[in-house]
Amino acid sequence: MKSIFRAFFLVFAVLCCLSANAWEFKKVYIIRHGQRPSSGDPALTELGVFQARMAGKRLKAEGFSGKIYASPYLRTTETAVEIAKIVGGKVILCPLIQERTKHVGTPQIKKGKTQAELEERFPNFISPTPKLPDDWLYSDNAGEILEKRVREAIDEGMRADCDEFLLVGHRATVVTALGILLKNTGMELKLPVWNCTMAYFIIDKNGKAKFVEFGTGFIPPEKITSNYKPPLVPSQDQDADKNSSDKK
């Protein structure tokens, strides 16, 4: 009986120790969506889906099992869902990290998808809570306002019951988050934010961020894009087309 009690006490002590150390730091990942074909609120291209899956495999290799937050735009939600298919979990729709506005008073799109529409499109992959408001589109989401909202999203992830989380947003989301997290590190990153560019930080319990990684090293160079603009590295077919047109 005493041996059983000792064993129970030992297990309890270990669990308490683990619990005490569980929140020493959190891993934070920020990813831009995969390639989209046009402006507005389109789904990903076939290449964009491939890029999202590569990001998912990269996170799986890291052992990621935390919460996944996504801008409710279709391309960001689809990117997050493709990642969730690989690492597990459901996608939490987070308006705080939606696309910036180009003109004050005018949202980037006229109408966004509803919670029900996204649940129907991606069955079993959208978290039912917190429910996405019907009027989730912001008419003013630039500059200091965007920074405030991205900071709120990071704070929400820090408060969540998990030791790591992912934000899937837009180019502006990634750039803004980098500015927030790099603010007290003395570092500055002025690099292109390609589709599915991933930023990786560790934040301690005092809110101090440590930079770990940034880039698209998990995607083949010829498949790195910035939406419908020319890819980072032209393919052999594109080179051949260019040479052919140059000769004409």
Side-chain angles (χ1 to χ4, degrees):
M1 186 72 178
K2 288 183 178 179
S3 61
I4 294 175
F5 177 78
R6 289 195 190 97
F8 174 80
F9 180 80
L10 179 61
V11 171
F12 179 76
V14 170
L15 289 174
C16 287
C17 181
L18 289 173
S19 176
N21 295 325
W23 306 112
E24 288 298 313
F25 63 87
K26 282 197 178 189
K27 297 178 182 178
V28 181
Y29 300 87
I30 302 112
I31 293 180
R32 184 187 179 189
H33 59 79
Q35 186 191 53
R36 62 180 172 87
S38 61
S39 59
D41 189 24
L44 297 177
T45 63
E46 184 177 343
L47 176 55
V49 171
F50 171 83
Q51 293 164 341
R53 289 173 180 170
M54 290 296 99
K57 290 180 180 179
R58 176 71 181 83
L59 286 165
K60 187 178 178 71
E62 285 288 331
F64 180 87
S65 61
K67 293 187 180 296
I68 302 173
Y69 298 87
S71 159
Y73 276 66
L74 184 53
R75 57 187 178 273
T76 38
T77 303
E78 185 174 10
T79 299
V81 167
E82 290 299 330
I83 291 172
K85 288 178 181 178
I86 295 172
V87 302
K90 292 183 182 294
V91 175
I92 301 169
L93 301 174
C94 180
L96 292 169
I97 53 174
Q98 67 181 261
E99 182 66 285
R100 69 180 177 88
T101 51
K102 292 182 179 179
H103 307 287
V104 176
T106 306
Q108 279 279 40
I109 54 178
K110 292 181 179 180
K111 184 180 183 301
K113 297 288 188 293
T114 65
Q115 172 95 19
E117 287 173 329
L118 290 172
E119 287 179 351
E120 182 179 3
R121 189 177 184 108
F122 306 109
N124 303 317
F125 280 101
I126 304 299
S127 173
T129 56
K131 187 177 183 299
L132 181 67
D134 291 335
D135 57 346
W136 60 265
L137 277 173
Y138 298 139
S139 60
D140 190 355
N141 194 42
E144 292 181 358
I145 296 175
L146 175 60
E147 181 178 344
K148 178 177 180 292
R149 286 172 173 154
V150 172
R151 190 183 296 276
E152 286 178 13
I154 294 173
D155 289 344
E156 183 177 325
M158 292 299 293
R159 291 191 300 268
D161 184 20
C162 60
D163 57 8
E164 56 188 344
F165 62 93
L166 165 67
L167 303 180
V168 181
H170 308 264
R171 181 184 179 279
T173 305
V174 176
V175 171
T176 303
L178 283 173
I180 292 170
L181 297 174
L182 288 173
K183 188 171 184 179
N184 298 318
T185 65
M187 293 181 61
E188 186 176 5
L189 286 175
K190 290 187 176 180
L191 297 171
V193 182
W194 303 94
N195 292 124
C196 281
T197 290
M198 180 188 299
Y200 171 19
F201 288 83
I202 291 176
I203 304 180
D204 66 23
K205 60 183 178 181
N206 298 315
K208 186 176 180 180
K210 179 180 179 181
F211 171 77
V212 180
E213 185 179 351
F214 176 86
T216 52
F218 48 89
I219 300 174
E222 69 277 7
K223 295 187 181 297
I224 297 174
T225 60
S226 184
N227 293 334
Y228 41 85
K229 298 174 184 176
L232 173 63
V233 178
S235 66
Q236 291 181 351
D237 291 340
Q238 288 171 319
D239 285 339
D241 290 343
K242 183 177 184 299
N243 292 334
S244 176
S245 64
D246 288 343
K247 292 176 182 178
K248 291 180 180 180

